[in-house]
Amino acid sequence: MATLAEPEQDFSRLPDLDEAVFTAPLKKPAHVGEDWLEPKQTEYSSEDDAIWNDLFARQMGVLPGRAATAFMAGLEKLNLDRGGVPEFGKLSEDLDALTGWSVVPVPMLIPDHVFFWHLANRRFPAGNFIRTRETFDYIQEPDVFHDVFGHVPMLTDPVYADYMQEYGRAGWKAMRYNRLKALGSLYWYTVEFGLLQEAPGDVRAYGAGILSGPTEVVYAVEAESPNRIMLNVDRVMRTDYVISDLQPTYFVIESFEDLYRQTVERDFDKLYRNLGPGFTYANTAVIDVDYVVNRGTLEYTLRGGRGSGAKPV
């Protein structure tokens, strides 16, 4: 059976990046190697730790009943409430005992092929910096709070942890077909902004982009504006997304086993051969193949979103 990953690939070393592969150009800082790893984690100041603690407390005020049970359990398993920015060594030790993953520091967003390589080897790259008070509510580039608080607790779930590794392995095939945008859309609508139907009428968030921000937690699971549609991988990989605002559409999974099955067991060679280089569907679209959980009003989006001061209703 053809799968999401390239089984013949040697994941022990970085892949060779062909010039014909289209990737975002990123300038590598002089102090990091080809793996883009920082020599060590930042030594955070007392103010940095205070910012982490305040961000943590704010999220814990809105997450209960809205965050996936697996996420809340992961927070407890990793003792992320011990105060201050977590130390990656201790965090990795605890995580390794649960699912074989570790957390490694990187200076900034890293190239796609390097990111895939780390995931394929069960290493999660986390930003080696934390936002300031001035950027407390919104930061464009993922910081240590988004990466560690938002992503890492989910890596304590064995099935989800395996999905993340397989996603990393999938990058090789996407690069070969020049379909990184399509694979990126899958990451966006699952790992960053995914919803889970834990029971009939009980939709909760597991995506890090939702879980690390107070407004989107409530909006994603309760607001009338966004569409909530059951995940269809082929459809998702043809769908555009919003980077700097709340999402007009979220995709919902039945379980992490269902997510794994829909992706890892999909024949992606055939899918990539039939995908165009751009997206087919707008991020507001509801199409005839969709199983719709909530047909959104799109009021927030149609009023102009964040820039207009529209309420996230």
Side-chain angles (χ1 to χ4, degrees):
M1 176 186 294
T3 62
L4 182 65
E6 291 283 355
E8 72 278 5
Q9 178 66 48
D10 176 12
F11 294 104
S12 66
R13 61 181 182 84
L14 272 166
D16 296 323
L17 191 60
D18 192 285
E19 290 183 359
V21 176
F22 307 145
T23 60
L26 295 174
K27 183 174 176 59
K28 183 170 67 67
H31 71 281
V32 300
E34 294 303 313
D35 60 7
W36 282 66
L37 294 185
E38 293 273 25
K40 63 177 182 177
Q41 186 182 6
T42 293
E43 295 181 7
Y44 296 100
S45 69
S46 59
E47 173 61 6
D48 292 335
D49 285 333
I51 289 172
W52 171 280
N53 292 340
D54 291 345
L55 288 166
F56 189 99
R58 183 173 69 171
Q59 290 311 104
M60 295 309 294
V62 295
L63 289 181
R66 298 183 177 109
T69 300
F71 176 84
M72 300 301 287
L75 287 176
E76 290 190 20
K77 291 174 184 176
L78 299 174
N79 297 311
L80 288 186
D81 61 350
R82 63 174 64 117
V85 180
E87 197 274 310
F88 287 6
K90 172 59 177 169
L91 189 59
S92 296
E93 182 181 317
D94 294 341
L95 194 56
D96 180 62
L98 292 166
T99 58
W101 275 77
S102 63
V103 181
V104 292
V106 293
M108 53 187 281
L109 287 173
I110 63 177
D112 292 314
H113 70 295
V114 181
F115 181 67
F116 294 143
W117 179 64
H118 285 304
L119 294 187
N121 287 282
R122 298 177 90 90
R123 294 186 296 265
F124 190 82
N128 203 20
F129 64 97
I130 193 164
R131 68 195 70 182
T132 64
R133 292 288 176 187
E134 290 70 29
T135 56
F136 191 84
D137 292 327
Y138 175 74
I139 184 170
Q140 188 167 8
E141 187 171 348
D143 69 342
V144 68
F145 186 78
H146 169 87
D147 285 340
V148 172
F149 180 90
H151 284 285
V152 173
M154 285 304 311
L155 293 174
T156 65
D157 182 90
V159 178
Y160 184 84
D162 287 346
Y163 168 73
M164 286 292 285
Q165 181 179 32
E166 292 300 329
Y167 183 91
R169 292 173 180 238
W172 272 245
K173 184 173 291 186
M175 287 191 295
R176 179 159 59 83
Y177 282 96
N178 265 323
R179 291 298 178 263
L180 287 177
K181 284 190 70 67
L183 190 65
S185 190
L186 178 63
Y187 189 89
W188 192 262
Y189 282 118
T190 60
V191 178
E192 290 290 355
F193 293 96
L195 299 178
L196 166 68
Q197 186 166 273
E198 294 206 342
D202 185 11
V203 172
R204 302 194 183 195
Y206 71 91
I210 302 174
L211 295 168
S212 57
T215 301
E216 195 138 12
V217 174
V218 180
Y219 176 85
V221 302
E222 296 176 7
E224 291 299 319
S225 286
N227 301 312
R228 300 181 189 91
I229 300 170
M230 297 305 293
L231 180 72
N232 176 309
V233 169
D234 290 34
R235 188 263 207 255
V236 163
M237 294 180 74
R238 292 176 166 89
T239 304
D240 200 359
Y241 50 87
V242 175
I243 293 177
S244 58
D245 208 337
L246 304 177
Q247 303 302 306
T249 298
Y250 299 90
F251 290 92
V252 186
I253 60 172
E254 296 178 1
S255 65
F256 297 121
E257 289 81 5
D258 175 56
L259 173 63
Y260 188 91
R261 184 170 56 252
Q262 283 201 55
T263 51
V264 178
E265 296 179 5
R266 176 67 169 90
D267 182 351
F268 272 63
D269 283 294
K270 182 178 179 181
L271 175 60
Y272 285 146
R273 284 195 296 270
N274 289 290
L275 279 179
F279 290 121
T280 305
Y281 306 118
N283 50 45
T284 56
V286 176
I287 62 176
D288 56 0
V289 300
D290 289 338
Y291 184 96
V292 181
V293 178
N294 178 72
R295 179 74 179 251
T297 64
L298 298 179
E299 178 180 344
Y300 173 77
T301 301
L302 294 175
R303 288 187 181 277
R306 177 178 287 134
S308 70
K311 293 182 179 180
V313 295

